[in-house]
Amino acid sequence: MMTTTWCRRLLAVTAAAVLLTTGGGATSASAQPIHQLDPAVAAKLDTAINDAMNAAGVPGAIVGIWSPRGDYVRAFGVADTATGAPMTTDLYSRIGSETKTFTITAVLQLADQNKIGLDEPIGTYLDGVPGGDTITVRELAGMRSGLFNYTETEEFLDAITADPRRAYSPTELLDWAFAEPPVFAPGTGFQYSNTNTILLGLLVEKISGQPLAGYFGEHILAPLHLAHTSFPAGAEFPGPHAQGYTELADDGPPVIATDWNTSWSWSAGAMISTLDDMHTWAPAVATGTLLSPAMQRQRLQTVNEDGFPADYGYGLGIFNIGGWIGHNGSLPGYQAVVVYEPQSQTSLVILTNTDISPPGGGEASSALANAVTNVITPDHIYELGA
């Protein structure tokens, strides 16, 4: 079996906590800030982001910060290393596991309507789930089901390596997961598993009677006017977008993953969006715009596992890292960080066109988020370990 680097980190949230040169300097297109951040702070951000990109080997990044103190919206580096085309702030990007925030928002909306019970076993709604009579919907949403992560099975890794443009069905993905024994008994541990969110996507379809894309469109995207966010069925990718760079082996040459089929990630990671739309989404999901206050309080009840910092925790499809509430996403060629810090009322969105790990490990997008928050919120640092 060929075990690829990107397969090992598919859709990673880094819950267990490049070889390309950055083309320095910032450019911008749309998404212009209404009121600019203080020039001195903006200059510090320019330096911090360029330094972080150079250290991590990020070819291109889009960064947006919105707060009462002012806004900062800029693009850095290149969208295409072959042509040198610059990154611009209006590009579409794959957002990976940020998709989970949409899927679990849908679940919580249906729970708000008493169509789903969060503490009901998933077997109440879906057949064929091993341990489905004891695993609850809440445990799936909080990554505490114990179900094996299908993206870590040898069968999946072999298949996705052999043909990254192949299409998959949710059932096929679950078959790989269900063939493996559970990692732990439901509710007794924490494991970030894409299997959980695939099941929740099927749950939304079953209870709502709508295809997941249709549900997202009617109940999440339309109410928030997220006109540039989509849930593709396969390899569709609206333009303009940057080329996405990944690697097939540690320290291997960069490979373009732009047109790879993302159906293998489905409700766990297939969505596409823009900086502008994620600017809207960051505070909406962190504050519960589409949920009742009582449901949002449940969503934000995070679990802190041994070995994690005291201010880190994972809730129901959402995390809290140093006071920053939201999620990140990673899949071949692209990464995203979409978070909101309530104390300073600051939204932060970072989109990169690589998922290649920095020389020291971890994620490129996390390195950028760490650099940004060290400048703008030194008391609230975004920090995910390798």
Side-chain angles (χ1 to χ4, degrees):
M1 181 193 76
M2 177 181 177
T3 302
T4 65
T5 298
W6 63 265
C7 277
R8 292 197 301 271
R9 57 176 190 267
L10 289 179
L11 288 173
V13 70
T14 352
V18 234
L19 304 178
L20 297 171
T21 301
T22 302
T27 62
S28 60
S30 66
Q32 292 302 314
I34 296 174
H35 57 298
Q36 301 279 351
L37 196 62
D38 177 83
V41 177
K44 289 181 181 179
L45 284 168
D46 289 346
T47 299
I49 293 167
N50 275 305
D51 287 350
M53 288 177 65
N54 283 319
V58 177
I62 307 170
V63 179
I65 302 166
W66 301 266
S67 78
R69 294 180 297 164
D71 302 340
Y72 175 96
V73 177
R74 302 193 181 180
F76 296 81
V78 297
D80 188 324
T81 60
T83 66
M87 288 288 277
T88 57
T89 58
D90 61 344
L91 299 180
Y92 286 87
S93 185
R94 300 192 186 278
I95 58 173
S97 285
E98 184 64 28
T99 303
K100 291 178 172 67
T101 62
F102 287 85
T103 300
I104 295 173
T105 294
V107 170
L108 298 179
Q109 286 179 328
L110 293 169
D112 253 340
Q113 300 166 28
N114 296 317
K115 295 179 179 179
I116 291 174
L118 293 182
D119 295 311
E120 286 293 316
I122 187 64
T124 303
Y125 310 106
L126 299 176
D127 296 328
V129 181
D133 57 339
T134 57
I135 297 170
T136 67
V137 174
R138 188 187 302 275
E139 288 165 344
L140 290 168
M143 301 295 174
R144 298 178 64 79
S145 73
L147 290 171
F148 201 89
N149 187 0
Y150 69 88
T151 58
E152 295 180 5
T153 65
E154 290 192 8
E155 292 78 9
F156 170 80
L157 295 175
D158 285 343
I160 199 76
T161 301
D163 183 6
R165 294 172 177 81
R166 173 184 163 186
Y168 297 87
S169 70
T171 301
E172 187 174 8
L173 305 175
L174 292 176
D175 285 344
W176 281 321
F178 295 166
E180 301 292 333
V183 180
F184 50 76
T188 64
F190 175 93
Q191 182 208 29
Y192 189 80
S193 172
N194 298 303
T195 302
N196 295 325
T197 322
I198 298 298
L199 275 170
L200 293 177
L202 291 174
L203 176 63
V204 172
E205 290 194 330
K206 173 74 175 295
I207 300 303
S208 70
Q210 293 180 273
L212 194 55
Y215 185 95
F216 284 162
E218 180 178 348
H219 300 281
I220 298 178
L221 305 184
L224 294 177
H225 307 290
L226 303 180
H228 299 100
T229 301
S230 60
F231 183 62
E236 308 95 291
F237 200 163
H241 57 255
Q243 295 279 42
Y245 299 94
T246 192
E247 62 183 3
L248 295 177
D250 288 327
D251 298 324
V255 175
I256 294 175
T258 311
D259 64 347
W260 288 6
N261 193 313
T262 60
S263 59
W264 60 265
S265 62
W266 198 53
S267 56
M271 293 186 81
I272 293 169
S273 192
T274 63
L275 184 72
D276 278 347
D277 275 15
M278 289 295 94
H279 168 207
T280 299
W281 182 240
V285 71
T287 63
T289 299
L290 299 178
L291 303 175
S292 69
M295 187 60 67
Q296 182 66 5
R297 284 193 293 272
Q298 293 188 62
R299 179 171 211 169
L300 296 179
Q301 290 175 356
T302 58
V303 173
N304 184 280
E305 296 296 308
D306 291 341
F308 289 109
D311 56 356
Y312 176 97
Y314 199 89
L316 302 181
I318 201 167
F319 60 44
N320 185 328
I321 299 176
W324 289 93
I325 298 171
H327 216 286
N328 66 348
S330 179
L331 77 170
Y334 303 90
Q335 288 187 338
V337 172
V338 182
V339 290
Y340 178 76
E341 202 283 296
Q343 185 171 318
S344 62
Q345 300 177 50
T346 301
S347 298
L348 169 63
V349 177
I350 296 173
L351 304 171
T352 72
N353 63 341
T354 185
D355 71 314
I356 299 175
S357 294
E363 295 187 338
S365 58
S366 294
L368 268 62
N370 179 268
V372 167
T373 56
N374 267 285
V375 173
I376 62 171
T377 55
D379 294 331
H380 297 280
I381 303 299
Y382 184 102
E383 188 167 13
L384 281 176

